Amino acid sequence: MREIAGARGAYMGAWAGGIGIGTILVLFGVLLAVRLGTFVPVPALGIPGVAIAVLCGLFYVRVRDRLPRASRALINRGPGNLWGALSFVGFILVVFVGLFAFMAGPSTWQDPTLLLTLAAVLAFIISLLVAAVIVPATIMGRARESLRRKAANDPQFRALLEQDLATWRDPYGNAGYGPL
């Protein structure tokens, strides 16, 4: 059951991250259009952003209501909970802010337009880190509770779990289905 919850959480987290990244692309296209004074970035970033968000949204809904295949091994190399994600993102932000502060010349700190551009780039980086790291890690960290809640509230999903319990056999030994 833990593997099912973990795999379901990993898939849901990945698709939720894709929804966030697509949305950020659309917003970044609008921000660039306002900043540059031309409409060109909106469709250039908006169309792929909407496509990514819609596709990931469809897959998110699909994976939320199904059990992952137990025969497929799922390996996650990213942070698996909110605390790990916040630590990782904090480290990345310290590095980027340090690089910006070190590489920016004195004229940068006196020019409001350059500071605004620097702030926009930093906001974009933070937004991408939130969508790609924090959101998936938070969903994965709460995967067991999510599976318990889904099984308690959705009779069709509970039937899927019971059907899996009836047919599941440990491929490596004789372990039981296991608690959640």
Side-chain angles (χ1 to χ4, degrees), residues 51-159:
I52 290 169
V54 168
L55 279 173
C56 289
L58 291 173
F59 282 111
Y60 179 84
V61 169
R62 182 177 172 217
V63 80
R64 183 183 62 187
D65 294 330
R66 295 185 179 180
L67 291 179
R69 282 190 234 149
S71 62
R72 179 183 286 178
L74 186 64
I75 298 170
N76 178 16
R77 302 219 185 261
N81 57 31
L82 179 60
W83 177 247
L86 288 174
S87 301
F88 176 73
V89 168
F91 173 75
I92 296 296
L93 287 178
V94 166
V95 169
F96 271 106
V97 169
L99 281 173
F100 287 163
F102 181 70
M103 298 303 287
S107 62
T108 304
W109 302 111
Q110 296 170 357
D111 187 1
T113 56
L114 285 176
L115 282 176
L116 184 62
T117 302
L118 193 61
V121 168
L122 192 58
F124 182 66
I125 290 170
I126 290 169
S127 300
L128 283 177
L129 287 171
V130 166
V133 178
I134 292 177
V135 169
T138 303
I139 290 173
M140 287 187 312
R142 297 178 180 168
R144 290 183 189 177
E145 293 85 12
S146 173
L147 184 67
R148 282 189 206 113
R149 192 172 41 255
K150 182 75 171 171
N153 296 332
D154 187 352
Q156 292 175 332
F157 191 76
R158 183 162 184 89

